[in-house]
Amino acid sequence: MKLLNSFFNILSEHEDEAGNHVVSIKLNPEHVIYQAHFPGKPVTPGVCIIAMVTEVLEQWKQYKLNLTLVKNLKFVGIVSPLECHNIEIVYQSVEESTNILKAKGFLKNNDNILTKFSIIYKTTQ
């Protein structure tokens, strides 16, 4: 199940002054996932955070990625569509080699870091 354009939408993309690739997204608080997780106080499930990071990365790189390993996924704050209307996915480093892509970064709302990630994918270029 793709989440892009239903669970979340991309608002903009840019490179920041530190050379990070920054993607601004908007979560959809009306999505069916939030009706179950949790009614009245929606929280973005960790698996959806990984899916968003992956789908945005696939769109940026223009090829399919297969998740191989989540090296690190640290929840620092709650990702709620009611409290965090716009979120930024910040890719601090993306290393590509033969059939492997390593991505490291974080999700933030304003200056508050919500989730840190380090993920390894196989590429299907």
Side-chain angles (χ1 to χ4, degrees):
M1 169 188 209
K2 288 287 187 185
L3 299 181
L4 182 58
N5 299 323
S6 64
F7 186 75
F8 75 100
N9 291 298
I10 295 174
L11 301 175
S12 65
E13 294 186 57
H14 68 277
E15 301 294 322
D16 68 11
E17 58 281 348
N20 300 319
H21 189 78
V22 180
V23 181
S24 296
I25 65 170
K26 181 174 178 64
L27 299 173
N28 176 7
E30 302 302 318
H31 196 276
V32 68
I33 289 172
Y34 289 125
Q35 293 174 14
H37 201 270
F38 297 97
K41 293 198 180 241
V43 175
T44 305
V47 69
C48 293
I49 291 171
I50 294 170
M52 290 188 306
V53 167
T54 302
E55 289 182 31
V56 168
L57 194 53
E58 285 177 331
Q59 182 163 318
W60 173 28
K61 293 298 184 177
Q62 294 294 298
Y63 51 79
K64 180 83 174 117
L65 298 169
N66 293 315
L67 181 65
T68 301
L69 177 66
V70 178
K71 286 185 67 176
N72 186 29
L73 188 65
K74 184 174 183 178
F75 302 106
V76 181
I78 295 173
V79 180
S80 169
L82 300 180
E83 296 171 16
C84 308
H85 302 290
N86 296 325
I87 295 173
E88 291 183 326
I89 302 175
V90 180
Y91 296 93
Q92 294 173 293
S93 69
V94 176
E95 299 174 19
E96 298 176 72
S97 60
T98 307
N99 298 326
I100 300 290
L101 184 140
K102 297 178 183 179
K104 182 178 178 181
F106 56 89
L107 276 68
K108 71 175 188 166
N109 175 253
N110 298 318
D111 290 329
N112 300 317
I113 293 179
L114 303 170
T115 305
K116 296 178 182 181
F117 63 86
S118 179
I119 304 174
I120 299 174
Y121 302 93
K122 285 186 181 177
T123 62
T124 57
Q125 295 184 36

